[in-house]
Amino acid sequence: MDVIATHNNADFDGLGSMVAARKLFPDAKLVLPAGGQEAVRNFLAVHDLDITKLKDLDLSQITRLVLVDTQDSDRIGALKSCIGNPAVEVVVFDHHVEPDSSCAGCSKQSIIASVGATTTLLIEQLRRWHIPVTPFEATVMALGLYEETGSFTFTSTTSRDLEAGAFLIAAGADLNMVAKILHRPLDPDAVALLNDLLEHSEVHYLEGRKVLVATSTVDRCRGEAADVVHRLVELQGVDAVLVAVMMADRVEVIGRSRRPEIDVGWVAREFGGGGHAVAAAAAVKGRTLAEVKERIVHLLTTHYRPTLLAQDVMTHPVKAIEVDISVTEAGQRMTAYGLNVFPILDEKDHYTGLVSRESIQKALFHRLGRLAVRDIMQTDAYTAQPDTPFHEIETAMIERNQRFVPIITESKIVGVITRTDLLRTLHDDVLKVARMRTMRPSETEAEGGGSRRNVKRLLRSRLPQRLVTVLEEAGQLADRCEVPLFVVGGCVRDLLLGIENLDLDLVVEGDGIAFARKLGEVLQARVKVHERFGTAILLSADGFRLDVATARTEYYEYPTALPTVEQSSIKKDLYRRDFTMNALAVRLNEKGFGDVLDFYGGQRDLNDKVIRVLHGLSFVEDPTRVFRAIRFESRFGFRLGKDTTALIAGAVKMNLFERLSGHRLLEELKLLLGEREPKQAIKRLAELNLLKFIHPKLSWSDRLNRLLASLEETVDWYRLLYLDRRMETWLAYVMGLLELLPERAVKDVFKRFPFSEQEAARLKMARVGCHKVIRKLATKRSLKPAEVYHLLSGLSDETLLFLMAKSKGETVKRQVSAFLTTYQQVKPILTGTDLKMMGLKPGPQFKKILDRLLDVRLNGEIKTEREERDLAMKLVELKADG
C-alpha cells in the first residue's frame, strides 16, 4: 500500500503537494497525520479530496511512504514507525533543506531543493512526465504555491516557482478562489491574538535589521496563528518576527522573515522544529512561555550582532572648536559651517563641553562677544560611546531634550548623534512600515524607494564587470584602511535613472590622497594629486579614470566666490552639492556594499522628476548652479521645484551673475549648449530672465526660435552622419545667439567671455563671412563642385552647420551637405611622389597641377589614373609652351 502524507497541522503547501504527488502515485492514499490548519480544515469541509483517516490505516500494510513538505519524523505522527522499516520505501519531496533530516536519510528517492514551495518540486515532476492536471487539482496546488511564496513576494521565491505558477494557470487554476481563500479577514479570536502579540512585543536590532519578538497567552486561535504572524510582519514593517504562543500543553514558536539572512528556520530547529530561512515553526514542551522567549532572544543576540549601536548612526568626523576661542569667532564659524552646536576641545583635544547657537546669540546680545566659549559652555551634557545601544541614546535625547550627543572614546570625540540622525533612524522604521502596507505584490522593498535602499544588483547589472571589480577592490582596501568609502554624485543619480555613466567619483571619510595612492598600487594605476583640494585622479594603462576625494565641507567668503574647503563627513560632503538628486552616495565597504545614503531626499526627487537645491543660499554661494539646473531640467525632462524657481528669481534680482567671472559663466554655457536639445534650455533661460547675463540685448523671439530649431535639426543630421567625429556643438549655438545681436553687442560679448583664439576666429567668421558665402552659394548660376569646394574648404564644421541652419534656401543646404558628405573626401589619385616619378621637377607647379587634378576630379571630368597622368603631362607642356 502506498501512502502520501505531510506534516502535522498541515498548511496548503502540504495539501497541494499531496494532491500533486497522487498524480505521480495514482494508487496512493492521502493521509493527514495530525490534522491541518483551520483554513485547510475549512477547505476540506467543502471539497472532498478522498483523504483517509490515519486510524483507518493498517500501518503494517504500508510498503511505500511518500512524504511531502517535511523530512522530520517527529512531525508525521504514528507514521513515524515506518521510518527505518526496511519493508517500507520512503520517498521525500521537500523545499526545506535540512542536512540532518531523519526521513531523508532513510529515503532512496529524495527531491529536496531550496525553492519557494514544495508544490513547485511536484509540479516539475508532473511537467517532466507530461502528466495532465484538472482545473480543480491545479487550484489546490495553486493554494499551496501562492500561500508559501506570499503570492511570489517572499524573498525565498525563485524563478522555478514562477514557472510552476504559469503551468497551473495554463491548466485552469481558479485564481479567484485562491485569492478568496488566502486573503480572508481575521476572525475575532485571531484579532485577539494579534492584539496580545502587539502588546507583548519588543524590537531587537540585529545586523542592521529590525526583528520583532512577541509572546501571547491567547490559545483560542491555534489554526490561525501562522496567518496572524504573517499579518504581524506586514503591520509592523519589520524584517522578521518570532512569536511564542502558550497553548495548553506546549509553547508554539512561529517565525517569519523577509530577509533570508535573519534565518528563522535555524531558530526553530534549535527548539526541535523545522522550516526554512523565511518561514518556520516548532512545538516546545516542558518550558514556560518566559523561558522560551528568553531562549529566542538569547539565540538571536548571540548569533547576530546584538543591536544598532551609536557607531552605526553617528556622524563623523566632527567639527569642533578650541576652548579658548571667543564667542564672536565661535558664532562666525557656526554660520560658515551651517552648524547649531559645537563640541569644545581643550589643548589636548579632549572633549570638555558643548556650546549652542542659542548660547552664542544670548552672549552676543549681552555684548559678551570677547568672552571665551569655556565661560558659557555646557559641561553636563549626556555623552555616549561608539558601542552604546542606539535605543539608550534615543531615550536620553528625548528625556533630556538634548539635540546633540557627543560620542566619546578615551576622552576624544569620534562622532556625534544629532536630532536629525535620531529622526532619520526612526523615520526609516516608520517609512518602512508605510511602504510595506502600501506596496503592491509585485514590488520589492528596493523599488519602494526607501532611504535604506541597496543597489548592489544594479551596480553589477549596469556597470561593466571591470568597473564593478574596481569598486569591490576599493571597498576591500577601505576596510583594511578602516575608512568609510563611497561612490557619489552623478554616477549614483544616473545608476538610479538607468542611464549609463562610467565617470566614477569616490569619496573617503579620511585622507583621500593617501587612500588614492594605496588604491593606485592595488590597481596598478598612475596617481595624479591635487593637494589643495584633497583630491586625486587614478589613470590606468587601459585609459580607465577614477576620481578620489576627501569628504569635505565648504563655505564661501562672499557671494560668487570660490569655496574654502575643509575635511568633513560624508553627510556634510553631500550637503555642499548642487541638487538633492546629486547628493546621493553608495557605500563601497564590504559590510553594506551597495547601501544608498540619501540624507536630503534625492531619491524622492528623482521619482518626482524635480530639481531641488539643498538650501536657500545655494545660488547666492554659486550662481553657476542655475545654469546647471536648467541643463539637467532639459536633459532629464525634469522640472524645477517651486522653491528652486523662486530662489533663481531672487538670484536674478540680486544681479549675482554680473559678479561671475566670464570664464566660469562660459564653462557653464558650453555644457548647457552642448546638451542634446539646447533650444529648450535657451528658452528656459529666457523665461527665467537669464539671457540678459549673456548680453542685455539678447532676448527670445520667433526668429531665434526658428534658427535654434534649424540648428538642432542640422546638428542631429551631422551626428547621425559622423558618429565618431568630434565637434564643438556649443560653438554653433553661440553663433546662433550672436546672429541676433548688433555689432556693438557682439564686441561686448567677446570682451566678457574669454573665448580661445580659434573659437573667436570661428565665431567672427560665422558673423561676418557667412553672409558672403551664402550669397555666392545661392547664386542663380549653377556652381560646379570644385567651386563649392574652394568656397567652403577652410571653414570649421561648426561654421558649416551654422551656414546650413541659417540659410533659408534648399540650394545652399544641398551644397553644404554635398561638401561635408562627398567633396571633402575627394582626392587626386596622383601624389607629389608620382609626379617626381614621371620626371617632373618639384616646385610651385606641383601644387598647381595637384589643385587642377582635384578640380577636374571633383567636377567628374576625369575618373582614372591614366587620365590624371595625361592631364598632368599636358599641364606641364602648356607651362613649357607658355
Side-chain angles (χ1 to χ4, degrees), residues 531-741:
E531 294 282 356
R532 178 185 172 191
F533 297 107
T535 62
I537 299 172
L538 273 68
L539 300 169
S540 67
D542 58 359
F544 170 71
R545 169 183 169 136
L546 188 67
D547 292 297
V548 180
T550 301
R552 54 203 193 273
T553 188
E554 59 188 29
Y555 60 90
Y556 295 77
E557 297 288 352
Y558 55 86
T560 75
L562 290 172
T564 299
V565 177
E566 294 185 4
Q567 186 173 334
S568 186
S569 64
I570 185 65
K571 184 177 177 181
K572 282 288 184 182
D573 186 276
L574 295 175
Y575 186 69
R576 69 185 182 82
R577 299 183 183 260
D578 46 13
F579 310 111
T580 57
M581 66 179 186
N582 292 333
L584 295 166
V586 172
R587 187 181 299 277
L588 296 182
N589 299 83
E590 186 173 2
K591 184 173 183 181
F593 183 89
D595 283 350
V596 176
L597 276 69
D598 179 8
F599 298 105
Y600 309 109
Q603 294 178 92
R604 177 196 61 208
D605 288 341
L606 283 178
N607 289 333
D608 294 341
K609 298 186 175 181
V610 172
I611 296 171
R612 187 166 56 87
V613 292
L614 278 80
H615 58 86
L617 294 177
S618 183
F619 295 136
V620 173
E621 292 178 345
D622 186 0
T624 62
R625 289 172 175 167
V626 171
F627 296 92
R628 254 171 279 160
I630 295 169
R631 174 157 54 93
F632 291 143
E633 187 183 43
S634 174
R635 180 192 299 178
F636 300 123
F638 285 14
R639 58 183 171 81
L640 297 177
K642 289 183 179 179
D643 55 341
T644 301
T645 304
L647 291 171
I648 291 175
V652 170
K653 192 177 294 184
M654 287 185 277
N655 273 326
L656 294 176
F657 305 94
E658 294 287 2
R659 306 183 203 175
L660 277 176
S661 69
H663 172 76
R664 290 182 67 194
L665 186 53
L666 179 59
E667 290 305 308
E668 287 298 330
L669 285 175
K670 286 180 179 181
L671 293 171
L672 186 145
L673 297 178
E675 289 290 320
R676 193 79 187 179
E677 297 178 351
K679 180 172 81 77
Q680 182 57 38
I682 295 172
K683 184 178 181 182
R684 196 74 167 110
L685 288 174
E687 291 171 351
L688 296 170
N689 203 20
L690 290 163
L691 278 182
K692 68 180 183 181
F693 295 107
I694 299 175
H695 194 276
K697 291 189 176 297
L698 190 59
S699 61
W700 188 259
S701 64
D702 290 341
R703 182 185 170 197
L704 180 59
N705 184 39
R706 288 193 300 270
L707 180 57
L708 294 177
S710 181
L711 261 173
E712 277 193 359
E713 182 180 340
T714 305
V715 170
D716 284 343
W717 166 81
Y718 181 90
R719 283 174 172 150
L720 286 173
L721 191 65
Y722 299 110
L723 297 176
D724 58 349
R725 191 158 161 177
R726 177 176 171 78
M727 182 189 67
E728 301 292 349
T729 309
W730 67 270
L731 199 58
Y733 285 96
V734 173
M735 293 173 183
L737 295 176
L738 296 183
E739 178 70 13
L740 276 71
L741 291 177

Side-chain angles (χ1 to χ4, degrees), residues 777-779 781-783 807-817:
L777 291 174
T779 181
R781 181 178 66 83
S782 179
L783 296 178
S807 174
K808 298 177 181 178
E810 288 300 318
T811 301
V812 174
K813 292 181 179 179
R814 195 163 51 247
Q815 290 170 326
V816 177
S817 174

Side-chain angles (χ1 to χ4, degrees), residues 777-805:
L777 291 174
T779 181
K780 293 181 180 179
R781 181 178 66 83
S782 179
L783 296 178
K784 291 183 177 182
E787 293 178 285
V788 174
Y789 177 87
H790 290 296
L791 194 58
L792 299 180
S793 62
L795 296 181
S796 67
D797 284 3
E798 297 85 3
T799 308
L800 292 171
L801 293 183
F802 177 66
L803 268 174
M804 291 181 70

Side-chain angles (χ1 to χ4, degrees), residues 129-191:
W129 299 108
H130 305 289
I131 300 174
V133 298
T134 67
F136 176 70
E137 290 169 336
T139 301
V140 179
M141 296 178 208
L143 283 168
L145 180 61
Y146 276 70
E147 180 186 58
E148 196 72 3
T149 63
S151 298
F152 306 113
T153 63
F154 292 167
T155 54
S156 57
T157 304
T158 69
S159 60
R160 295 166 66 179
D161 300 298
L162 295 172
E163 290 171 359
F167 170 79
L168 296 177
I169 292 172
D174 185 348
L175 296 187
N176 287 326
M177 178 185 288
V178 172
K180 183 178 180 180
I181 292 173
L182 296 184
H183 301 133
R184 57 197 178 279
L186 296 177
D187 63 26
D189 288 342
V191 172

Side-chain angles (χ1 to χ4, degrees), residues 105-120:
C106 298
S107 171
K108 294 182 179 179
Q109 297 183 52
S110 294
I111 297 180
I112 301 171
S114 184
V115 293
T118 300
T119 306
T120 295

Side-chain angles (χ1 to χ4, degrees), residues 175-226:
L175 296 187
N176 287 326
M177 178 185 288
V178 172
K180 183 178 180 180
I181 292 173
L182 296 184
H183 301 133
R184 57 197 178 279
L186 296 177
D187 63 26
D189 288 342
V191 172
L193 174 59
L194 180 61
N195 284 334
D196 197 43
L197 289 170
L198 286 170
E199 289 180 11
H200 300 88
S201 63
E202 58 189 45
V203 173
H204 295 265
Y205 290 92
L206 307 168
E207 301 289 350
R209 305 299 182 191
K210 189 177 179 184
V211 180
L212 188 77
V213 177
T215 60
S216 176
T217 55
V218 175
D219 64 350
R220 303 189 305 273
C221 185
R222 297 180 183 181
E224 297 279 345

